[in-house]
Amino acid sequence: MTTNVMTEKENEKCKLKDQVAIITGSGRGIGRSIAEALLRAGAKVVISDINEETCNKTAQELKEHGGETLGLVCDVTKSASVEALVEQVVKEWGRIDILVNNAGITRDNLMMRMSEDEWQAVIDTNLTSAFKVSKPILKVMSKQRSGRIINIASTTGVHGNFGQVNYAAAKAGLIGFTKTIAIEYASRNITCNAIAPGFIDTDMTRKLSEEIIKGILDKVPLKRMGTPDDIANAVLFFAGPAAYVTGQVLEVNGGLYT
């Protein structure tokens, strides 16, 4: 029995052996869980976050647990910062195989009360950043003639949500972005898919009142919040050898909206 368990662990470690992955917004939360999952699968992982302390701390902690990591601070809304990130990764590891566009923020408000700043901040961070990060990395992947891009969208981008017109628009745009990249880069053996998380247990959702949380869970058939690991497992599927799956949106939502 022990031999079989060890074999399974070894097999998991070989899935993405020597592949290089960049996860934006991976200092904590869902991004960190994705990084941990990719490390367990054998990838070399770039922890990228706008917060320098969080970025470096997470990279160091994962490295201490045996992962090959690189912590690089990056503001995904700034092209110069993104280009410096990509240049450093290629210099360090020579290639980029997996990109997870995970960085995101919320600035919730009703449409009639939403300021232009609240609108633009979410569009810049949640949508335009995917363009700025993907463009230079697609050049690297195109030369390799291989790559996996996974965009973290949201069920809000598929179905809409009260008080989140900016977030919904950004995530819906990210889904359209995903489908177009899938078409344009298929000939280069690059796949592009999106994951649309539902109600996930993160710092963001923990700020909600018990009443709001209960109201949402009443609509979820599985009757629980999702975990960051649930999203990480979906990323592993798209990051792996699923070469005939591209341009798809996978909702990880416990049955919400069924």
Side-chain angles (χ1 to χ4, degrees):
M1 180 65 72
T2 303
T3 302
N4 290 337
V5 171
M6 290 304 293
T7 301
E8 287 174 8
K9 288 182 178 179
E10 288 168 3
N11 287 340
E12 182 184 18
K13 190 72 175 176
C14 291
K15 285 179 182 176
L16 301 175
K17 183 174 173 56
D18 295 328
Q19 293 197 28
V20 175
I22 297 175
I23 307 105
T24 65
S26 50
R28 59 190 178 90
I30 289 174
R32 175 171 175 148
S33 290
I34 292 170
E36 291 172 347
L38 293 176
L39 282 168
R40 286 194 299 269
K44 301 173 182 177
V45 172
V46 177
I47 303 299
S48 173
D49 203 280
I50 194 171
N51 185 301
E52 183 175 4
E53 182 180 356
T54 301
C55 181
N56 293 336
K57 181 181 178 183
T58 296
Q60 184 59 38
E61 287 175 352
L62 297 184
K63 187 178 293 185
E64 288 172 358
H65 283 84
E68 195 165 353
T69 66
L70 187 64
L72 295 176
V73 178
C74 181
D75 181 346
V76 293
T77 68
K78 307 295 184 186
S79 296
S81 183
V82 171
E83 288 165 6
L85 167 74
V86 174
E87 183 179 343
Q88 183 63 33
V89 174
V90 173
K91 180 181 178 181
E92 186 76 21
W93 284 328
R95 59 186 299 113
I96 300 171
D97 301 283
I98 301 161
L99 166 63
V100 183
N101 283 309
N102 169 72
I105 61 171
T106 57
R107 296 289 185 271
D108 296 349
N109 216 335
L110 295 176
M111 172 69 180
M112 66 182 297
R113 296 174 183 166
M114 184 170 290
S115 68
E116 288 190 15
D117 286 345
E118 289 171 331
W119 168 270
Q120 200 61 51
V122 171
I123 295 299
D124 288 346
T125 304
N126 297 17
L127 177 57
T128 306
S129 69
F131 169 79
K132 291 184 176 182
V133 176
S134 299
K135 189 172 182 179
I137 289 176
L138 279 165
K139 291 180 181 178
V140 177
M141 290 180 172
S142 293
K143 290 179 181 178
Q144 297 169 179
R145 300 194 73 85
S146 66
R148 300 279 185 266
I149 294 180
I150 301 125
N151 297 317
I152 307 301
S154 170
T155 53
T156 297
V158 181
H159 305 281
N161 193 34
F162 191 87
Q164 288 193 310
V165 66
N166 49 2
Y167 191 78
K171 295 300 187 178
L174 191 57
I175 289 170
F177 176 86
T178 297
K179 292 179 176 292
T180 302
I181 294 302
I183 294 169
E184 290 187 2
Y185 284 88
S187 64
R188 296 283 179 170
N189 193 34
I190 298 168
T191 63
C192 186
N193 293 285
I195 296 166
F199 195 46
I200 308 299
D201 185 12
T202 63
D203 290 343
M204 198 180 296
T205 55
R206 288 182 200 127
K207 295 177 183 177
L208 300 173
S209 68
E210 289 186 15
E211 183 181 359
I212 291 175
I213 291 174
K214 183 181 182 303
I216 296 173
L217 289 180
D218 285 343
K219 300 175 184 177
V220 178
L222 287 183
K223 298 303 178 187
R224 69 170 178 87
M225 297 172 74
T227 69
D229 285 345
D230 290 323
I231 307 306
N233 288 332
V235 169
L236 276 179
F237 169 70
F238 285 132
Y244 204 59
V245 179
T246 193
Q248 302 305 302
V249 181
L250 175 61
E251 291 195 60
V252 182
N253 61 16
L256 184 67
Y257 300 116
T258 55

